[in-house]
Protein backbone atom coordinates (compact mmCIF):
# COMPACT_ATOMS: atom_id res chain seq x y z
CA UNK A 1 0.00 0.00 0.00
CA UNK A 2 2.84 2.35 0.83
CA UNK A 3 4.49 1.74 -2.48
CA UNK A 4 1.29 2.45 -4.37
CA UNK A 5 0.80 5.67 -2.42
CA UNK A 6 4.34 6.79 -3.23
CA UNK A 7 3.87 6.01 -6.92
CA UNK A 8 0.56 7.89 -7.00
CA UNK A 9 2.17 10.85 -5.23
CA UNK A 10 5.08 10.93 -7.68
CA UNK A 11 2.76 10.71 -10.68
CA UNK A 12 0.54 13.44 -9.28
CA UNK A 13 3.53 15.68 -8.68
CA UNK A 14 4.81 15.00 -12.22
CA UNK A 15 1.43 15.75 -13.81
CA UNK A 16 1.06 18.92 -11.74
CA UNK A 17 4.53 20.06 -12.79
CA UNK A 18 3.70 19.40 -16.43
CA UNK A 19 0.42 21.29 -16.13
CA UNK A 20 2.13 24.27 -14.54
CA UNK A 21 4.81 24.23 -17.23
CA UNK A 22 2.22 24.24 -20.01
CA UNK A 23 0.15 26.95 -18.35
CA UNK A 24 3.27 29.05 -17.82
CA UNK A 25 3.77 29.38 -21.57
CA UNK A 26 2.81 32.74 -22.95
CA UNK A 27 1.42 33.29 -26.42
CA UNK A 28 3.28 35.60 -28.79
CA UNK A 29 0.87 36.52 -31.58
CA UNK A 30 2.13 38.01 -34.83
CA UNK A 31 -0.07 39.66 -37.45
CA UNK A 32 1.53 40.04 -40.88
CA UNK A 33 0.87 40.17 -44.60
CA UNK A 34 2.63 38.68 -47.60
CA UNK A 35 4.15 41.85 -49.05
CA UNK A 36 5.81 43.82 -46.25
CA UNK A 37 9.59 43.53 -45.89
CA UNK A 38 9.19 44.34 -42.21
CA UNK A 39 6.96 41.28 -41.87
CA UNK A 40 9.68 39.17 -43.43
CA UNK A 41 12.14 40.48 -40.84
CA UNK A 42 9.66 39.82 -38.02
CA UNK A 43 9.10 36.21 -39.09
CA UNK A 44 12.84 35.51 -39.15
CA UNK A 45 13.35 37.00 -35.69
CA UNK A 46 10.27 35.32 -34.22
CA UNK A 47 11.75 31.95 -35.20
CA UNK A 48 14.95 32.93 -33.37
CA UNK A 49 12.84 34.01 -30.40
CA UNK A 50 11.23 30.56 -30.25
CA UNK A 51 14.70 29.00 -30.18
CA UNK A 52 15.72 31.27 -27.31
CA UNK A 53 12.58 30.50 -25.28
CA UNK A 54 11.65 26.97 -26.43
CA UNK A 55 9.53 26.07 -23.38
CA UNK A 56 8.40 29.52 -22.25
CA UNK A 57 6.51 30.81 -25.29
CA UNK A 58 4.29 29.59 -28.09
CA UNK A 59 4.15 31.48 -31.39
CA UNK A 60 0.78 32.11 -33.05
CA UNK A 61 1.03 33.33 -36.62
CA UNK A 62 -1.87 35.30 -38.05
CA UNK A 63 -2.34 37.23 -41.27
CA UNK A 64 -4.09 40.53 -41.72
CA UNK A 65 -5.33 42.77 -44.52
CA UNK A 66 -6.96 46.13 -43.94
CA UNK A 67 -9.97 45.51 -46.19
CA UNK A 68 -11.72 42.31 -47.27
CA UNK A 69 -12.56 43.99 -50.58
CA UNK A 70 -8.98 44.92 -51.52
CA UNK A 71 -6.62 42.81 -53.64
CA UNK A 72 -4.21 42.52 -50.69
CA UNK A 73 -6.59 39.96 -49.17
CA UNK A 74 -6.20 37.50 -52.06
CA UNK A 75 -3.19 35.65 -50.57
CA UNK A 76 -5.35 34.87 -47.53
CA UNK A 77 -8.14 33.64 -49.80
CA UNK A 78 -5.63 31.54 -51.75
CA UNK A 79 -4.40 29.93 -48.53
CA UNK A 80 -7.92 28.85 -47.66
CA UNK A 81 -8.45 27.53 -51.20
CA UNK A 82 -5.28 25.44 -50.84
CA UNK A 83 -6.50 24.19 -47.46
CA UNK A 84 -9.65 22.88 -49.13
CA UNK A 85 -7.55 20.63 -51.34
CA UNK A 86 -6.33 17.99 -48.92
CA UNK A 87 -4.88 20.26 -46.29
CA UNK A 88 -2.30 21.98 -48.50
CA UNK A 89 -2.34 25.10 -46.31
CA UNK A 90 1.21 24.76 -44.94
CA UNK A 91 2.98 23.96 -48.27
CA UNK A 92 1.14 26.81 -49.97
CA UNK A 93 1.98 29.17 -47.10
CA UNK A 94 5.67 28.26 -47.47
CA UNK A 95 5.55 29.16 -51.18
CA UNK A 96 3.93 32.50 -50.40
CA UNK A 97 6.60 33.32 -47.81
CA UNK A 98 9.39 32.22 -50.14
CA UNK A 99 8.05 34.50 -52.89
CA UNK A 100 7.07 37.46 -50.75
CA UNK A 101 5.56 40.32 -52.72
CA UNK A 102 4.64 38.23 -55.77
CA UNK A 103 0.94 37.94 -54.95
CA UNK A 104 -0.95 38.73 -58.13
CA UNK A 105 -3.75 36.36 -59.07
CA UNK A 106 -1.51 34.82 -61.74
CA UNK A 107 1.23 34.27 -59.12
CA UNK A 108 -1.23 32.72 -56.67
CA UNK A 109 -2.54 30.31 -59.31
CA UNK A 110 1.02 29.52 -60.35
CA UNK A 111 1.87 28.38 -56.80
CA UNK A 112 -1.15 26.08 -56.92
CA UNK A 113 0.21 24.52 -60.13
CA UNK A 114 3.62 24.07 -58.48
CA UNK A 115 1.96 22.03 -55.73
CA UNK A 116 -0.08 20.03 -58.28
CA UNK A 117 -3.37 21.28 -56.88
CA UNK A 118 -6.48 20.86 -59.01
CA UNK A 119 -6.04 23.89 -61.20
CA UNK A 120 -9.67 24.52 -62.21
CA UNK A 121 -10.97 24.03 -58.68
CA UNK A 122 -8.33 26.36 -57.23
CA UNK A 123 -8.89 29.08 -59.86
CA UNK A 124 -12.65 28.99 -59.39
CA UNK A 125 -12.27 29.07 -55.60
CA UNK A 126 -10.00 32.12 -55.80
CA UNK A 127 -11.89 34.04 -58.51
CA UNK A 128 -15.28 33.81 -56.81
CA UNK A 129 -13.70 34.30 -53.35
CA UNK A 130 -15.26 31.13 -51.97
CA UNK A 131 -13.46 31.25 -48.58
CA UNK A 132 -14.39 34.89 -47.96
CA UNK A 133 -16.35 33.97 -44.84
CA UNK A 134 -13.35 32.23 -43.24
CA UNK A 135 -11.03 35.09 -44.14
CA UNK A 136 -13.49 37.69 -42.85
CA UNK A 137 -13.64 35.81 -39.53
CA UNK A 138 -9.84 36.00 -39.27
CA UNK A 139 -9.83 39.72 -40.05
CA UNK A 140 -12.51 40.36 -37.43
CA UNK A 141 -10.46 38.40 -34.89
CA UNK A 142 -7.43 40.61 -35.62
CA UNK A 143 -9.49 43.79 -35.43
CA UNK A 144 -10.95 42.59 -32.13
CA UNK A 145 -7.38 42.46 -30.84
CA UNK A 146 -6.88 46.06 -31.94
CA UNK A 147 -4.78 45.28 -35.01
CA UNK A 148 -4.84 48.05 -37.60
CA UNK A 149 -1.50 47.60 -39.38
CA UNK A 150 1.22 45.07 -40.11
CA UNK A 151 3.45 43.92 -38.62
CA UNK A 152 1.89 43.84 -35.15
CA UNK A 153 2.93 41.72 -32.17
CA UNK A 154 0.55 41.05 -29.28
CA UNK A 155 1.74 39.52 -26.00
CA UNK A 156 -0.74 39.06 -23.15
CA UNK A 157 -3.08 41.62 -24.63
CA UNK A 158 -0.42 44.29 -25.12
CA UNK A 159 0.05 45.47 -28.68
CA UNK A 160 3.39 46.40 -30.26
CA UNK A 161 3.19 47.82 -33.77
CA UNK A 162 6.04 47.65 -36.31
CA UNK A 163 8.35 45.87 -33.85
CA UNK A 164 10.60 43.50 -35.79
CA UNK A 165 14.13 43.43 -34.29
CA UNK A 166 15.26 40.44 -32.27
CA UNK A 167 16.47 42.70 -29.43
CA UNK A 168 13.06 44.27 -28.95
CA UNK A 169 11.25 40.94 -29.22
CA UNK A 170 13.48 39.58 -26.45
CA UNK A 171 12.82 42.65 -24.27
CA UNK A 172 9.07 42.24 -24.68
CA UNK A 173 9.17 38.50 -24.00
CA UNK A 174 11.38 38.83 -20.93
CA UNK A 175 9.07 41.49 -19.52
CA UNK A 176 5.99 39.30 -19.90
CA UNK A 177 7.83 36.28 -18.48
CA UNK A 178 8.73 38.28 -15.39
CA UNK A 179 12.44 38.24 -16.21
CA UNK A 180 12.54 42.01 -16.56
CA UNK A 181 10.94 44.41 -14.08
CA UNK A 182 10.11 47.12 -16.54
CA UNK A 183 10.10 47.68 -20.24
CA UNK A 184 11.00 51.02 -21.71
CA UNK A 185 8.25 51.90 -24.15
CA UNK A 186 10.58 54.54 -25.55
CA UNK A 187 13.06 51.87 -26.60
CA UNK A 188 10.33 49.74 -28.17
CA UNK A 189 8.62 52.63 -29.93
CA UNK A 190 11.91 54.03 -31.20
CA UNK A 191 12.05 51.25 -33.75
CA UNK A 192 8.46 51.85 -34.85
CA UNK A 193 9.14 55.54 -35.31
CA UNK A 194 12.44 55.04 -37.17
CA UNK A 195 10.71 54.87 -40.55
CA UNK A 196 8.94 58.17 -39.96
CA UNK A 197 12.12 59.84 -38.69
CA UNK A 198 14.12 58.68 -41.72
CA UNK A 199 11.42 60.00 -44.01
CA UNK A 200 11.38 63.36 -42.23
CA UNK A 201 15.19 63.56 -42.38
CA UNK A 202 15.10 62.94 -46.11
CA UNK A 203 12.59 65.77 -46.49
CA UNK A 204 14.67 68.08 -44.31
CA UNK A 205 17.86 67.23 -46.23
CA UNK A 206 16.07 67.95 -49.47
CA UNK A 207 14.80 71.28 -48.20
CA UNK A 208 18.15 72.39 -46.81
CA UNK A 209 20.23 71.43 -49.82
CA UNK A 210 21.79 74.54 -51.35
CA UNK A 211 19.73 75.66 -54.27
CA UNK A 212 21.74 76.49 -57.31
CA UNK A 213 21.14 80.12 -58.09
CA UNK A 214 20.29 80.84 -61.68
CA UNK A 215 21.87 84.05 -62.84
CA UNK A 216 19.44 86.46 -64.31
CA UNK A 217 20.09 87.36 -67.87
CA UNK A 218 21.01 91.02 -67.98
CA UNK A 219 19.57 92.73 -71.01
CA UNK A 220 21.40 95.93 -71.93
CA UNK A 221 19.31 99.04 -72.09
CA UNK A 222 18.34 100.04 -75.60
CA UNK A 223 20.16 103.20 -76.58
CA UNK A 224 18.91 105.28 -79.46
CA UNK A 225 21.78 105.95 -81.81
CA UNK A 226 21.99 109.07 -83.97
CA UNK A 227 23.61 107.66 -87.13
CA UNK A 228 24.21 111.13 -88.61
CA UNK A 229 26.00 112.24 -85.46
CA UNK A 230 28.13 109.11 -85.64
CA UNK A 231 29.06 109.92 -89.26
CA UNK A 232 29.46 113.66 -89.04
CA UNK A 233 30.07 114.29 -85.38
CA UNK A 234 28.23 116.51 -82.91
CA UNK A 235 26.66 119.81 -83.95
CA UNK A 236 29.34 122.55 -84.02
CA UNK A 237 29.03 125.76 -82.09
CA UNK A 238 30.23 128.42 -84.61
CA UNK A 239 27.63 130.03 -86.85
CA UNK A 240 28.95 129.07 -90.32
CA UNK A 241 30.01 125.62 -89.28
CA UNK A 242 26.62 125.14 -87.68
CA UNK A 243 24.84 126.19 -90.92
CA UNK A 244 27.00 123.84 -92.98
CA UNK A 245 26.31 120.99 -90.55
CA UNK A 246 22.53 121.65 -90.68
CA UNK A 247 22.47 121.64 -94.49
CA UNK A 248 24.31 118.31 -94.59
CA UNK A 249 21.89 116.85 -92.06
CA UNK A 250 18.91 118.09 -94.11
CA UNK A 251 20.09 116.39 -97.30
CA UNK A 252 21.05 113.27 -95.34
CA UNK A 253 17.54 113.02 -93.90
CA UNK A 254 16.01 113.39 -97.40
CA UNK A 255 18.22 110.68 -98.78
CA UNK A 256 16.99 108.30 -96.05
Amino acid sequence: MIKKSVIVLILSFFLLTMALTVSAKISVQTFCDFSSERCESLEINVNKLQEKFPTEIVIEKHYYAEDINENIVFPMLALECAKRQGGMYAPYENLLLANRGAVSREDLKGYANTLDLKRENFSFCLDVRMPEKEVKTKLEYAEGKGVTTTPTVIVRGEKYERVTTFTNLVRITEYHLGLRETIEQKEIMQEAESEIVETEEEIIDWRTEPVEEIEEEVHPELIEVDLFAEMYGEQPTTFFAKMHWSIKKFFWSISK
Side-chain angles (χ1 to χ4, degrees), residues 18-234:
M18 288 293 294
L20 289 172
T21 303
V22 172
S23 62
K25 281 191 175 184
I26 64 170
S27 174
V28 177
Q29 295 180 304
T30 63
F31 295 82
C32 277
D33 57 48
F34 293 99
S35 300
S36 168
E37 291 181 2
R38 292 182 71 89
C39 276
E40 183 176 13
S41 176
L42 173 63
E43 285 160 5
I44 292 169
N45 289 322
V46 158
N47 291 335
K48 289 167 62 179
L49 187 72
Q50 182 70 84
E51 292 174 5
K52 183 174 176 65
F53 302 100
T55 60
E56 295 89 347
I57 66 170
V58 58
I59 306 296
E60 291 183 18
K61 291 171 66 175
H62 300 271
Y63 296 106
Y64 177 73
E66 292 182 9
D67 193 335
I68 189 69
N69 298 312
E70 296 294 331
N71 289 336
I72 54 175
V73 85
F74 270 96
M76 295 180 68
L77 292 167
L79 266 175
E80 295 299 323
C81 288
K83 185 179 179 181
R84 292 184 176 196
Q85 292 199 32
M88 295 297 287
Y89 185 99
Y92 194 90
E93 179 186 33
N94 291 336
L95 272 178
L96 280 174
L97 295 175
N99 298 277
R100 184 177 293 279
V103 290
S104 67
R105 290 201 199 187
E106 292 72 19
D107 293 324
L108 297 173
K109 292 176 182 179
Y111 304 146
N113 292 339
T114 301
L115 296 172
D116 293 326
L117 300 181
K118 293 178 182 178
R119 182 173 180 176
E120 291 182 1
N121 292 356
F122 184 89
S123 295
F124 180 76
C125 176
L126 185 63
D127 290 338
V128 301
R129 303 165 65 105
M130 283 181 68
E132 186 169 301
K133 185 178 179 180
E134 293 95 317
V135 171
K136 190 173 182 181
T137 299
K138 291 183 177 183
L139 297 184
E140 287 173 351
Y141 173 79
E143 288 165 1
K145 292 281 185 178
V147 177
T148 57
T149 187
T150 58
T152 294
V153 177
I154 296 179
V155 185
R156 287 187 169 176
E158 290 195 25
K159 181 176 65 173
Y160 305 90
E161 293 181 342
R162 299 190 183 90
V163 173
T164 60
T165 63
F166 182 65
T167 303
N168 275 338
L169 289 171
V170 170
R171 285 193 185 115
I172 293 168
T173 305
E174 287 179 342
Y175 171 69
H176 288 284
L177 286 172
L179 303 176
R180 178 187 288 262
E181 289 186 6
T182 59
I183 184 170
E184 292 292 335
Q185 286 292 335
K186 187 177 180 181
E187 290 177 346
I188 301 299
M189 293 306 296
Q190 188 174 4
E191 180 190 354
E193 294 169 357
S194 62
E195 280 186 341
I196 301 170
V197 172
E198 285 171 9
T199 305
E200 287 177 350
E201 284 176 355
E202 286 175 8
I203 294 171
I204 292 168
D205 289 343
W206 177 79
R207 288 177 178 172
T208 54
E209 278 181 3
V211 179
E212 186 179 347
E213 293 185 3
I214 301 172
E215 293 184 3
E216 265 186 56
E217 293 182 12
V218 180
H219 298 284
E221 293 182 8
L222 293 176
I223 301 172
E224 293 184 5
V225 178
D226 188 342
L227 296 177
F228 180 83
E230 280 193 348
M231 293 176 63
Y232 299 104
E234 295 293 332

